Amino acid sequence: MKMKVEMELNPKQLHHIHDKSRKLMVTGSAGSSKTLYGAHKAILYALQYPQARCYVFRQTLASLRDTIYLEIIELLDKYELPYDLNKSELKITFFNESTISFKGLDKFSKIRSINADFILIEQAEEISEYSYREIEKRLRGKVSKKYYGQLLIIVQPETTAHFLYKVFYTNSEIEKTKVIHFSYKDNLMYLPKEYVAEYELLKEINPDLYRNYTLGEWIQASGAIYTHYDYNIPDDIKYDYYLAGADFGYVNPSCFLVIGIKDGQAYVIGEVYESGLINKELITKANELLKEMNLHPSMLLETVCDSAEPDRIEEFRRAGYNAQKADKSVLAGIDSVKATPLHIDEKNCPNTAREIKQYRYRKDKEGNEIEEPIKINDHSMDTIRYILHRNNLKYNRPIINNLKAGKKIRRRV
């Protein structure tokens, strides 16, 4: 059964739709329809090669459900292509026995046995290098050996400190890779004029954000705010106490972090990082994370929350958390973080590990560094700042020593 599909893509996307590079990065600006291109590639591969095993990944399954999963379903319906959908497994099966399966990387153990012919990673800037290296090993299916296999990653560029920049632009792997850059200007026929005006307005408001968001460029990785961290988490460590924090979002990700304190050093050991969560859902996910860590809300000394939304803080309190308002002083908070030795569990906190590498000071139009962080993907950084700034202000050395000696700390609001 052969099917002909007239794909509705812009000319540049159509030019690259049959690209067979083993490792292909699609990068570019907001509004350039990178995800739409990736969705078409996945469908096309599944239809062209019988019994192909195609997989679509994103850092969290919930985010994947709200983005490229819906995009692919809508395209199949739009083009009137027959398919069977297993909603419980998030798996599409076609007439030629090819499949497209959707997986979140927040449950990584479930993908280790996969043999894939085509892999698509949506919003790949969200994932850790550990996850990327594990996924690329899965491109080993039977169909890929007979025809070709492809690892396609969709990326909104961040800074040149990101590991993907090094993989696709700078190191020895570059010979095995290809990069395609899409611009919103390639896609003007599909974009409202208001969107275009907003993209261009950033040129005057924030040059760094304009280059990153509007032009889709990788920002030069200079002016790092934090350089004092590592990824060393001892297996047998027993923490003196635990702290947590929350940065609230909805369109932007909400972030909930758990930090263990040992001898004045901070260990970031647990993370919830997801868009589209109402507060009740965020609390549920925080509870699930704590359960996995053999913790309970009552075992957290404090949960320091974004003070901009007092109603959400109160919901955390009613759920059993000692939730407190954060002091949102940015520069003073950064100083508190810098004063605290910092360790990050890269495997369990991939977004925190990603953000800290790219957390940079802004530059003015002349390229001079400004003592102000770039406001791009800094949700974990805000959360760490809330937690450690309050910890440093409130729990001085004598109080910590009392806690270690087994004495009860009086919680002050």
Side-chain angles (χ1 to χ4, degrees):
M1 181 179 179
K2 293 185 178 181
M3 307 190 72
K4 186 176 181 180
V5 180
E6 295 292 336
M7 293 175 288
E8 295 183 13
L9 293 170
N10 67 50
K12 189 170 184 179
Q13 291 169 333
L14 282 171
H15 177 73
H16 292 288
I17 196 64
H18 295 293
D19 188 287
K20 296 183 179 181
S21 304
R22 184 166 180 83
K23 294 181 183 179
L24 176 64
M25 173 191 280
V26 174
T27 182
S29 66
S32 60
S33 294
K34 299 183 294 292
T35 297
L36 182 65
Y37 172 83
H40 278 83
K41 285 282 286 182
I43 293 171
L44 187 62
Y45 192 99
L47 293 178
Q48 282 186 325
Y49 302 108
Q51 299 182 329
R53 298 295 174 258
C54 306
Y55 289 86
V56 180
F57 296 105
R58 190 169 174 178
Q59 178 57 36
T60 67
L61 185 60
S63 297
L64 187 150
R65 283 177 180 269
D66 293 336
T67 53
I68 196 164
Y69 169 73
L70 291 180
E71 190 95 55
I72 288 176
I73 295 296
E74 288 172 1
L75 285 176
L76 293 174
D77 292 339
K78 177 181 179 180
Y79 295 143
E80 298 182 344
L81 295 169
Y83 66 94
D84 291 322
L85 174 61
N86 185 322
K87 292 185 178 180
S88 62
E89 295 184 5
L90 289 190
K91 183 176 182 179
I92 295 169
T93 303
F94 295 97
F95 61 90
N96 61 357
E97 299 183 19
S98 290
T99 59
I100 301 178
S101 300
F102 300 84
K103 305 284 185 182
L105 295 174
D106 42 355
K107 302 294 182 182
F108 199 82
S109 60
K110 295 182 179 180
I111 74 164
R112 287 202 168 93
S113 60
I114 285 173
N115 294 315
D117 301 302
F118 176 91
I119 295 173
L120 168 60
I121 307 176
E122 166 73 346
Q123 298 292 121
E125 72 276 5
E126 298 174 343
I127 73 172
S128 69
E129 184 169 7
Y130 173 85
S131 295
Y132 174 80
R133 297 301 181 188
E134 286 292 321
I135 290 172
E136 69 176 350
K137 296 175 187 175
R138 312 302 157 197
L139 194 61
R140 57 192 184 187
K142 293 180 180 179
V143 173
S144 68
K145 294 173 182 177
K146 184 177 180 180
Y147 300 102
Y148 78 98
Q150 186 167 75
L151 171 58
L152 170 62
I153 65 172
I154 309 295
V155 178
Q156 177 67 41
E158 295 191 344
T159 77
T160 53
H162 199 287
F163 79 91
L164 285 173
Y165 181 85
K166 294 178 173 62
V167 170
F168 281 82
Y169 290 90
T170 64
N171 67 19
S172 60
E173 296 177 70
I174 195 169
E175 295 180 359
K176 302 176 183 178
T177 65
K178 181 176 179 179
V179 177
I180 300 173
H181 185 277
F182 292 148
S183 167
Y184 78 90
K185 294 179 181 180
D186 303 321
N187 208 37
L188 288 175
M189 66 185 81
Y190 300 112
L191 292 176
K193 293 181 179 179
E194 294 80 4
Y195 280 30
V196 176
E198 289 175 1
Y199 295 157
E200 289 300 325
L201 186 62
L202 287 173
K203 185 186 297 185
E204 302 301 325
I205 297 174
N206 188 325
D208 285 312
L209 190 56
Y210 173 76
R211 288 179 54 217
N212 176 257
Y213 191 76
T214 305
L215 301 182
E217 296 179 358
W218 297 85
I219 299 173
Q220 182 63 37
S222 60
I225 294 177
Y226 300 133
T227 59
H228 70 304
Y229 61 90
D230 62 38
Y231 303 109
N232 300 321
I233 309 289
D235 292 333
D236 56 350
I237 190 169
K238 294 183 179 179
Y239 298 104
D240 299 327
Y241 58 98
Y242 296 93
L243 299 165
D247 185 53
F248 300 127
Y250 186 79
V251 176
N252 288 319
S254 292
C255 179
F256 176 88
L257 296 180
V258 179
I259 292 180
I261 302 294
K262 178 67 175 178
D263 296 331
Q265 301 190 42
Y267 296 79
V268 186
I269 51 178
E271 171 189 279
V272 175
Y273 190 102
E274 196 168 317
S275 301
L277 297 178
I278 61 173
N279 211 43
K280 183 179 179 181
E281 293 169 329
L282 176 60
I283 292 171
T284 297
K285 287 185 176 291
N287 290 340
E288 291 171 350
L289 173 66
L290 292 175
K291 186 176 181 180
E292 290 175 1
M293 300 174 70
N294 295 317
L295 295 175
H296 185 271
S298 63
M299 298 171 69
L300 303 172
L301 191 60
E302 286 188 338
T303 299
V304 190
C305 302
D306 183 351
S307 59
E309 300 194 49
D311 290 346
R312 298 184 74 167
I313 296 175
E314 182 58 31
E315 285 187 61
F316 265 89
R317 288 174 179 159
R318 293 181 181 182
Y321 290 80
N322 180 29
Q324 305 297 332
K325 294 180 180 179
D327 179 339
K328 298 184 71 170
S329 304
V330 176
L331 297 182
I334 287 173
D335 286 342
S336 289
V337 178
K338 288 182 175 180
T340 308
L342 187 62
H343 314 276
I344 300 169
D345 186 329
E346 187 176 20
K347 182 178 178 180
N348 291 323
C349 307
N351 292 289
T352 303
R354 171 181 59 86
E355 282 193 5
I356 198 166
K357 295 174 186 175
Q358 302 157 47
Y359 197 44
R360 309 278 157 172
Y361 287 115
R362 283 189 58 194
K363 293 181 180 179
D364 62 21
K365 293 181 180 179
E366 286 71 43
N368 302 309
E369 197 170 281
I370 303 170
E371 200 173 23
E372 177 185 336
I374 299 172
K375 285 299 295 178
I376 301 173
N377 299 319
D378 57 355
H379 317 292
S380 290
M381 296 302 96
D382 285 349
T383 309
I384 289 176
R385 191 179 77 243
Y386 300 159
I387 297 169
L388 295 185
H389 189 41
R390 183 174 173 87
N391 181 63
N392 289 355
L393 290 176
K394 185 176 178 183
Y395 298 111
N396 55 35
R397 179 57 57 184
I399 294 178
I400 291 176
N401 286 339
N402 287 340
L403 179 69
K404 291 167 69 176
K407 297 180 181 179
K408 185 177 181 181
I409 289 181
R410 183 178 62 186
R411 290 174 171 169
R412 293 167 287 175
V413 178

